[in-house]
């Protein structure tokens, strides 16, 4: 597997190239990144990349100096210039210094870059020991993800066995020292998937991990686990300050929102000791994030904020008889008002478990849908701007406020259906009366 290094002073360019594809599937790995030539020279000695993709106009240390210095010391290293359209004179100069090829970074496509990389790679002598080491690293990554999955479902002695296997992995952190867990998740992920304009699973995982490493810092002692499809677990030893990690998360969230249009939420656990209770720590962090359901502005929760719940609340089943009675007496407007009042009542039940809340909401929507269907209002096929009907909304939106927003958007459509139905009935009645006239 060939090691790549990306050198550019624009974070978005580095991130964009790193996220073009799942590099390991094509025999490459992003071994390092740098924001200028000086930083690149400092990292190259430890990383020994096979191919460096570099911008030219950077400071301190431009791409020309980087190419010239490296090729004197590492003649086998290959350079591909990241160029702009008006940069031909500089590209020509870089090629004279020994660069192998160039690409236009602003219009770069995965297949174009892959073809150039393969051509350049053919000139590099294969190092069997290095290939074997890269293969081991990839196997370790796959094994790490599999162990975490096993850990969350294992029982009794198999749990202890999985813990031992995880402890033997070559990790960047030590469970023999105090540690804490940073749990990051993508908000409304199911809705984004439903909308159909989001990254594929592998590319999403790859992109998010690149952003996490870029912003939290690859030099930090942390271990990143892709957990489920839309969540990531970061484990730090306690020496890495939680406050600093929290600040870096807010920067990560800012970039994710700006460049990918997605919002992130996270929770930070207390300092933990020993690997034995790792599963409980993960479950606790996951449950802590459920508190965000009631306040979509809360994007980072610290363990110990459980007081956000009110205590002693009991969740009552939705009242179907009252719904039917209101519909019989007042028509569809009363049914919509019933659903509106039910949703409003839930905010007073924050002590209840979120799965219980969702189950109860689904039951209420099914009652509402069944009763409104009798009045000619199709709840199931009426959808919001994301293509989501009310039953799907109560199960898949991550925030109570989003569910309410969805309902009020759909409410206008229900009222429109009701108006059209009444106008149609008036027309039919008028037509029938006209037919009876002599």
């Amino acid at each position: 597997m060939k090691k790549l290094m990306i050198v550019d002073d624009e974070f978005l360019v580095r991130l964009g190239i790193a996220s073009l594809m799942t590099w390991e599937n094509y025999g490459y790995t992003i071994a390092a990144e740098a924001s200028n030539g000086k930083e690149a020279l400092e990292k190259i000695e430890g990383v020994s990349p096979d191919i460096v993709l570099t911008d030219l106009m950077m400071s301190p240390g431009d791409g020309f100096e980087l190419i010239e210095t490296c090729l004197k010391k590492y003649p086998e290293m290959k350079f591909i210039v990241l160029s702009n359209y008006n940069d031909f004179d500089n590209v020509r100069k870089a090629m004279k210094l020994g660069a192998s090829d160039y690409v236009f970074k602003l219009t770069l496509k995965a297949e174009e870059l892959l073809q150039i990389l393969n051509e350049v790679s053919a000139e590099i002598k294969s190092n069997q020991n290095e290939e074997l080491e890269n293969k081991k690293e990839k196997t370790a990554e796959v094994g790490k993800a599999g162990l975490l999955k096993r850990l969350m479902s294992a029982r009794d002695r198999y749990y202890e066995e999985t813990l031992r296997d995880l402890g033997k992995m070559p990790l960047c952190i030590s469970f023999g020292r105090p540690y804490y867990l940073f749990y990051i998740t993508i908000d409304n992920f199911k809705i984004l998937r439903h909308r159909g304009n989001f990254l594929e699973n592998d590319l999403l995982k790859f992109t998010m991990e690149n952003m996490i490493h870029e912003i939290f810092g690859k030099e930090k002692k942390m271990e990143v686990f892709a957990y489920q499809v839309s969540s990531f677990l970061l484990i730090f030893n306690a020496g890495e300050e939680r406050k600093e990690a929290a600040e870096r998360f807010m920067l990560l969230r800012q970039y994710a929102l700006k460049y990918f249009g997605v919002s992130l939420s996270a929770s930070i656990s207390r300092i933990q000791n020993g690997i034995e209770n790792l599963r409980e720590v993960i479950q606790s962090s996951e449950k802590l994030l459920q508190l965000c359901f009631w306040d979509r502005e809360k994007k980072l929760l610290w363990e110990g904020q459980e007081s956000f719940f009110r205590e002693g609340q009991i969740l009552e089943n939705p009242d179907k008889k009252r719904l039917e009675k209101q519909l019989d007496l007042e028509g569809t407007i009363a049914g919509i008002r019933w659903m509106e009042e039910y949703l409003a009542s839930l905010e007073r039940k924050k002590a209840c478990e979120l799965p219980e809340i969702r189950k109860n909401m689904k039951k209420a929507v099914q009652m509402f849908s069944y009763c409104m269907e009798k009045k000619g209002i199709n709840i199931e096929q009426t959808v919001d701007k994301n293509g989501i009907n009310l039953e799907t909304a109560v199960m898949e939106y991550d925030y109570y406020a989003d569910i309410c927003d969805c309902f009020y958007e759909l409410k206008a459509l229900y009222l429109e259906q009701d108006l059209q139905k009444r106008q149609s009935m008036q027309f039919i009645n008028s037509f029938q009366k006209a037919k009876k006239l002599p």
Side-chain angles (χ1 to χ4, degrees):
M1 190 171 293
K2 298 294 187 296
K3 291 189 288 185
L4 307 181
M5 184 177 194
I6 306 169
V7 186
D8 198 290
D9 55 5
E10 294 182 53
F11 165 72
L12 188 56
V13 171
R14 299 197 305 271
L15 178 63
I17 293 173
S19 304
L20 272 176
M21 66 189 89
T22 306
W23 289 98
E24 285 77 5
N25 292 349
Y26 299 93
Y28 300 96
T29 182
I30 307 296
E33 296 176 21
S35 59
N36 55 64
K38 182 176 182 294
E39 183 185 351
L41 286 169
E42 291 170 356
K43 291 184 176 182
I44 277 174
E45 188 170 348
V47 173
S48 299
D50 297 293
I51 303 173
V52 179
L53 290 83
T54 184
D55 190 17
L56 295 175
M57 309 310 293
M58 302 174 292
S59 180
D62 59 32
F64 305 112
E65 181 184 351
L66 176 64
I67 294 169
E68 188 173 18
T69 302
C70 286
L71 288 180
K72 285 178 181 176
K73 193 172 183 180
Y74 312 105
E76 294 296 322
M77 194 175 291
K78 303 297 179 182
F79 285 85
I80 296 173
V81 172
L82 301 173
S83 168
N84 295 314
Y85 280 114
N86 58 352
D87 225 9
F88 287 114
D89 288 341
N90 285 327
V91 168
R92 191 179 296 110
K93 180 180 175 182
M95 299 289 278
K96 287 180 179 178
L97 289 172
S100 299
D101 212 327
Y102 67 95
V103 291
F104 294 123
K105 61 182 177 181
L106 297 180
T107 57
L108 188 59
K109 291 184 173 61
E111 56 273 19
E112 174 193 357
L113 180 56
L114 192 60
Q115 181 180 345
I116 291 173
L117 285 170
N118 288 340
E119 290 172 359
V120 171
S121 293
E123 302 171 11
I124 300 173
K125 293 179 181 178
S126 176
N127 185 323
Q128 291 185 349
N129 291 332
E130 188 175 294
E131 293 290 325
L132 183 60
E133 189 61 34
N134 286 328
K135 188 174 181 180
K136 285 180 181 178
E137 287 179 11
K138 185 176 180 182
T139 303
E141 278 297 311
V142 174
K144 188 175 72 171
L147 277 174
L148 188 64
K149 188 175 180 180
R150 276 172 50 197
L151 184 73
M152 300 310 292
S153 59
R155 294 183 180 181
D156 304 329
R157 67 184 181 86
Y158 295 107
Y159 177 69
E160 295 178 4
E161 181 182 309
T162 305
L163 283 176
R164 284 196 297 272
D165 289 343
L166 185 60
K168 293 175 184 176
M169 294 291 293
L171 304 177
C172 296
I173 55 102
S174 169
F175 286 106
R177 292 170 49 204
Y179 67 92
Y180 66 91
L181 187 76
F182 210 115
Y183 188 114
I184 299 175
T185 188
I186 298 173
D187 297 337
N188 284 331
F189 180 75
K190 291 179 181 177
I191 304 299
L192 292 167
R193 275 273 181 257
H194 189 278
R195 218 160 56 189
N197 59 346
F198 204 54
L199 301 172
E200 291 301 318
N201 289 354
D202 284 348
L203 190 53
L204 166 67
K205 171 180 172 289
F206 190 67
T207 301
M208 283 298 299
E209 286 187 355
N210 272 319
M211 288 183 68
I212 288 167
H213 281 294
E214 177 73 29
I215 291 172
F216 279 82
K218 291 187 178 181
E219 73 282 358
K220 291 286 181 184
K221 293 295 183 182
M222 71 172 180
E223 199 65 48
V224 180
F225 293 82
Y227 179 60
Q228 301 174 345
V229 181
S230 59
S231 302
F232 299 84
L233 303 181
L234 283 59
I235 301 178
F236 296 85
N237 279 126
E240 302 291 342
E241 291 297 328
R242 290 193 296 169
K243 185 177 179 181
E244 182 185 346
E247 290 170 354
R248 288 176 182 265
F249 165 73
M250 297 311 290
L251 183 59
L252 173 69
R253 183 175 177 274
Q254 179 184 331
Y255 275 112
L257 196 59
K258 182 176 180 180
Y259 298 123
F260 295 97
V262 299
S263 176
L264 304 177
S265 295
S267 63
I268 305 178
S269 76
R270 292 188 178 95
I271 301 296
Q272 306 293 325
N273 289 289
I275 196 173
E276 296 78 15
N277 63 339
L278 180 59
R279 179 164 63 187
E280 287 71 23
V281 176
I282 294 172
Q283 290 170 338
S284 177
S285 296
E286 195 168 16
K287 187 175 180 181
L288 179 59
L289 267 176
Q290 293 180 7
L291 298 178
C292 292
F293 177 77
W294 298 107
D295 188 349
R296 62 183 168 192
E297 299 308 314
K298 284 185 177 291
K299 295 300 180 185
L300 179 59
L301 294 173
W302 296 68
E303 193 170 4
Q305 293 184 345
E306 292 85 350
S307 58
F308 184 73
F309 279 132
R310 294 175 186 150
E311 297 180 359
Q313 299 294 318
I314 298 173
L315 192 62
E316 299 170 354
N317 287 324
D319 190 344
K320 185 179 180 183
K321 288 184 179 179
R322 179 169 166 251
L323 170 60
E324 290 174 330
K325 184 178 179 180
Q326 285 182 227
L327 278 167
D328 289 339
L329 291 174
E330 304 173 58
T332 54
I333 301 297
I336 293 171
R337 188 169 64 246
W338 177 91
M339 191 69 219
E340 191 171 4
E341 290 171 355
Y342 170 78
L343 286 175
S345 73
L346 288 175
E347 199 168 11
R348 300 190 294 272
K349 309 295 182 182
K350 291 182 179 179
C352 301
E353 294 284 344
L354 185 54
E356 184 186 357
I357 289 277
R358 288 198 189 275
K359 184 178 178 181
N360 200 273
M361 291 170 83
K362 183 176 181 180
K363 188 184 297 183
V365 172
Q366 288 173 338
M367 289 180 187
F368 176 61
S369 181
Y370 174 75
C371 293
M372 293 291 279
E373 187 83 32
K374 292 181 178 179
K375 299 293 182 180
I377 308 299
N378 195 322
I379 303 298
E380 187 176 336
Q381 292 184 17
T382 306
V383 297
D384 69 2
K385 62 188 176 186
N386 291 317
I388 304 297
N389 65 27
L390 190 56
E391 184 174 339
T392 303
V394 301
M395 299 306 293
E396 296 192 355
Y397 276 115
D398 285 344
Y399 299 104
Y400 169 77
D402 287 339
I403 294 171
C404 291
D405 288 349
C406 173
F407 170 74
Y408 284 112
E409 183 183 342
L410 296 176
K411 174 184 173 181
L413 300 176
Y414 301 152
L415 291 172
E416 186 179 327
Q417 285 186 51
D418 182 56
L419 178 61
Q420 290 174 352
K421 179 176 173 294
R422 284 190 283 110
Q423 288 176 339
S424 177
M425 290 301 297
Q426 287 174 0
F427 175 79
I428 292 171
N429 290 337
S430 299
F431 180 73
Q432 288 176 341
K433 285 179 182 179
K435 282 178 66 178
K436 291 178 181 179
L437 291 174

